[in-house]
Amino acid sequence: MTKSPANTAPAPQHNLRVALSDPALKILASAILVSTVGRGIFLTLTVLYFSRFVGLSALEIAVILTVSSGVGVATSYIGGRLADHFSARRLLVGMVAVQGLAIASYTFAGNFSTAVVIACIAVGVDRGANATRSAIIARAFDGPNRVNARAVLRTITNLGIAVGGMIAGLALLAGTAGAFRAMMIGAGVAYLLSAMALRRLPARVDAPRHDPAKPAPTRGISPFKDRRYVLLTVLSGIFGMQFGLAEMGVPLWISQDTSAPDVLISAILVINTLCVVLLQVPLSRGTEHPRRAGKIVMIGGVLMAVACALYAAAGGVPVIAAISLLSGAALLHSFAEILSQAGAWGLSFELANPHQAGAYQGMFGMGSALGAMLAPLVVTATVVEHGTLGWAILGAVFLASAAGIALIARKASTTAALA
């Protein structure tokens, strides 16, 4: 891949404090920390707000989530594509600001139709902003520093969401519509503050300007015609359904099909957060090399399959055994999440055309958005409906998708070595 001459950091900084000495990463991290505190508040309160104070049914809420996720699939590519043609800095600032206004506007959603429109705007700009941010990382950093930057930002994201969730607990304790609305407006303000911080990003994060006096650079094929990258995107999106499994499938399984207490759901969230915060950066090392990235994803696939087996085994056993099995499954699930993300990031950067960083990252984001949209349906059709058999099906799906990604990585590594 072509390296940007503007990048001066020759080696990755895997210590979080040292890594944040990079000005661009420091700005991104500080902005994400602020916005994800707002996101933590939003995620904690939104569904309950719709249910308790707007009066929406579970089906209506599910439709809102599905439709808005569908919009996000399209805006993921659009956001990345725009970042190739316009200032990525200004795009990101604008998208984050619009997202903040949309989140604050949830307080005015008095019916189903209004809620759908606001959700589509909020999720749409969120996915577009994610793709734009990935394009910025692709340009601002080289090789191993790209994956390291993603790992650092993901660590910051988990911290911010955890803090936001705790802050949202104040509204839950109050239990009033006014407290919910005030907290959600505060979440929107957090996004606006984040947008202001992003204005300080350096010019090197934008796509290089073309000199009209010189021939236009060769941009290469569209990412949609790059079959290898399309397959990587699809398989990564399939494996990414593990996020939906953690958010929906595991809590329902614990509460409805095991003897474990419901408080274990919170404990499992803590396990996941601690693992990501402590291990995402160090376990992401070396994934700028396709072969290593593929191996790491394959390990993640095996761990995810074993985690599914342990989740399934927790059904119908005594409480102590259930708690032990579920805790072990959650730990393996967390490691699988960390490893699969690290490997996928490395491949998404290294196998992309550097002249179309935004378009490629936007398409890769489409896979994640599509996985998020389909996850509730897939989890319901497997784990919720068929129990142990459903867990077996999901484990096989995760393992197969990881094997496919590993095969892509191995072939890419072999091709690069021959070249």
Side-chain angles (χ1 to χ4, degrees):
M1 290 196 57
T2 304
K3 293 188 178 182
S4 170
N7 292 326
T8 57
Q13 301 290 354
H14 295 293
N15 178 278
L16 185 61
R17 181 179 59 82
V18 176
L20 290 175
S21 63
D22 180 277
L25 185 55
K26 186 175 182 179
I27 293 169
L28 285 170
S30 61
I32 282 180
L33 179 61
V34 174
S35 65
T36 51
V37 169
R39 182 171 177 77
I41 295 172
F42 169 75
L43 292 175
T44 304
L45 300 181
T46 306
V47 172
L48 290 177
Y49 179 76
F50 283 158
S51 176
R52 292 182 183 177
F53 305 113
V54 182
L56 301 183
S57 67
L59 177 60
E60 287 175 321
I61 294 173
V63 170
I64 291 172
L65 296 175
T66 301
V67 172
S68 60
S69 295
V71 172
V73 173
T75 56
S76 291
Y77 180 72
I78 293 172
R81 189 72 176 175
L82 291 175
D84 282 338
H85 298 280
F86 302 98
S87 169
R89 290 176 297 165
R90 293 174 183 172
L91 277 173
L92 186 58
V93 169
M95 288 177 181
V96 172
V98 171
Q99 189 176 4
L101 294 174
I103 287 175
S105 298
Y106 271 104
T107 57
F108 301 104
N111 53 60
F112 172 74
S113 300
T114 306
V116 169
V117 173
I118 295 175
C120 286
I121 295 172
V123 175
V125 294
D126 175 60
R127 291 295 183 178
N130 286 343
T132 302
R133 192 178 292 111
S134 294
I136 285 174
I137 293 171
R139 295 194 186 102
F141 305 96
D142 273 337
N145 290 312
R146 289 174 179 150
V147 178
N148 189 62
R150 285 293 297 264
V152 168
L153 295 180
R154 186 158 185 269
T155 300
I156 299 296
T157 294
N158 276 51
L159 283 172
I161 290 176
V163 172
M166 289 187 287
I167 294 174
L170 297 175
L172 294 175
L173 288 174
T176 64
F180 272 64
R181 293 190 182 104
M183 197 67 74
M184 291 171 71
I185 290 173
V189 171
Y191 275 87
L192 296 176
L193 294 175
S194 175
M196 293 177 63
L198 290 168
R199 295 173 60 191
R200 297 185 289 113
L201 282 170
R204 64 188 171 104
V205 305
D206 290 333
R209 293 185 178 182
H210 171 55
D211 186 349
K214 298 180 180 180
T218 302
R219 303 192 67 84
I221 65 174
S222 163
F224 288 99
K225 296 180 180 179
D226 188 337
R227 289 181 295 179
R228 180 178 67 179
Y229 205 86
V230 169
L231 185 57
L232 171 66
T233 297
V234 171
L235 293 174
S236 296
I238 291 173
F239 200 100
M241 289 193 297
Q242 55 88 14
F243 287 108
L245 179 64
E247 294 169 2
M248 176 184 173
V250 172
L252 288 176
W253 179 253
I254 291 174
S255 63
Q256 298 178 5
D257 296 277
T258 77
S259 58
D262 287 350
V263 72
L264 187 64
I265 297 172
S266 296
I268 284 177
L269 177 62
V270 172
I271 290 174
N272 178 265
T273 301
L274 287 176
C275 285
V276 172
V277 169
L278 295 174
L279 300 174
Q280 185 68 75
V281 173
L283 291 183
S284 298
R285 295 175 185 174
T287 54
E288 72 278 4
H289 302 294
R291 185 176 291 274
R292 175 167 173 76
K295 289 180 179 179
I296 284 179
V297 172
M298 190 67 236
I299 294 172
V302 172
L303 293 179
M304 195 66 229
V306 176
C308 287
L310 293 181
Y311 281 132
V317 300
V319 60
I320 299 300
I323 291 174
S324 300
L325 288 168
L326 290 168
S327 299
L331 188 61
L332 293 180
H333 190 161
S334 297
F335 273 90
E337 174 188 326
I338 292 167
L339 293 173
S340 64
Q341 288 285 281
W345 292 336
L347 292 169
S348 74
F349 288 128
E350 296 303 318
L351 301 187
N353 178 356
H355 298 298
Q356 298 189 71
Y360 271 76
Q361 293 305 315
M363 194 181 79
F364 190 77
M366 287 181 68
S368 301
L370 189 60
M373 182 181 74
L374 296 178
L377 299 175
V378 173
V379 170
T380 299
T382 53
V383 172
V384 176
E385 295 293 334
H386 298 288
T388 301
L389 176 60
W391 282 112
I393 293 172
L394 276 185
V397 167
F398 290 132
L399 190 59
S401 61
I405 294 173
L407 182 60
I408 291 173
R410 187 172 65 182
K411 289 186 175 181
S413 181
T414 300
T415 302
L418 291 175

